[in-house]
Amino acid sequence: MEERKRVAIEIMVVVVAVVMGCCMWKGCNGLSLCDMNEEGLEACKPSVTEPNPVDPSPECCKALAAADLKCLCSYKNSSTLPFLGIDPNLAASLPAKCNLTPPDNC
């Protein structure tokens, strides 16, 4: 039974990665992740991608303030973020840069 749950979670991660990858490459409407819509994700993308990340924009911070930070933190050790070109360390630093308090253990 545990094996089935693990496989189901892995499949969900792959599906999320594919959907996000397609949206970031070709664009899509209605994308939402942890209460951040596509506009919010796009506003934060320059701040979480190498080689030259920038400070988060006011739009990024506004989107992040409305997001489910605990949900976003659940992706910090996921292989999904690097697959999408997102640096997990840069992503983890966003709340502080936006003067937000990240959840415990994030």
Side-chain angles (χ1 to χ4, degrees):
M1 189 63 151
E2 287 298 314
E3 179 68 15
R4 280 186 165 173
K5 285 183 182 179
R6 187 183 64 76
V7 170
I9 290 171
E10 289 176 354
I11 290 171
M12 286 176 36
V13 168
V14 169
V15 168
V16 168
V18 169
V19 169
M20 288 184 66
C22 289
C23 290
M24 289 183 171
W25 283 81
K26 295 188 177 200
C28 68
N29 294 323
L31 174 67
S32 178
L33 175 68
C34 300
D35 297 331
M36 281 186 77
N37 63 20
E38 182 179 1
E39 290 174 355
L41 293 169
E42 284 297 318
C44 292
K45 188 175 178 183
S47 302
V48 296
T49 53
E50 291 286 355
N52 299 311
V54 299
D55 286 336
S57 66
E59 293 81 10
C60 171
C61 290
K62 182 178 177 184
L64 198 60
D68 180 345
L69 294 181
K70 188 172 183 177
C71 173
L72 289 172
C73 285
S74 71
Y75 287 92
K76 76 177 181 178
N77 295 320
S78 170
S79 61
T80 304
L81 295 180
F83 174 77
L84 297 171
I86 297 170
D87 182 299
N89 293 321
L90 292 173
S93 71
L94 276 185
K97 290 180 178 180
C98 289
N99 296 315
L100 299 171
T101 304
D104 292 335
N105 300 320
C106 183

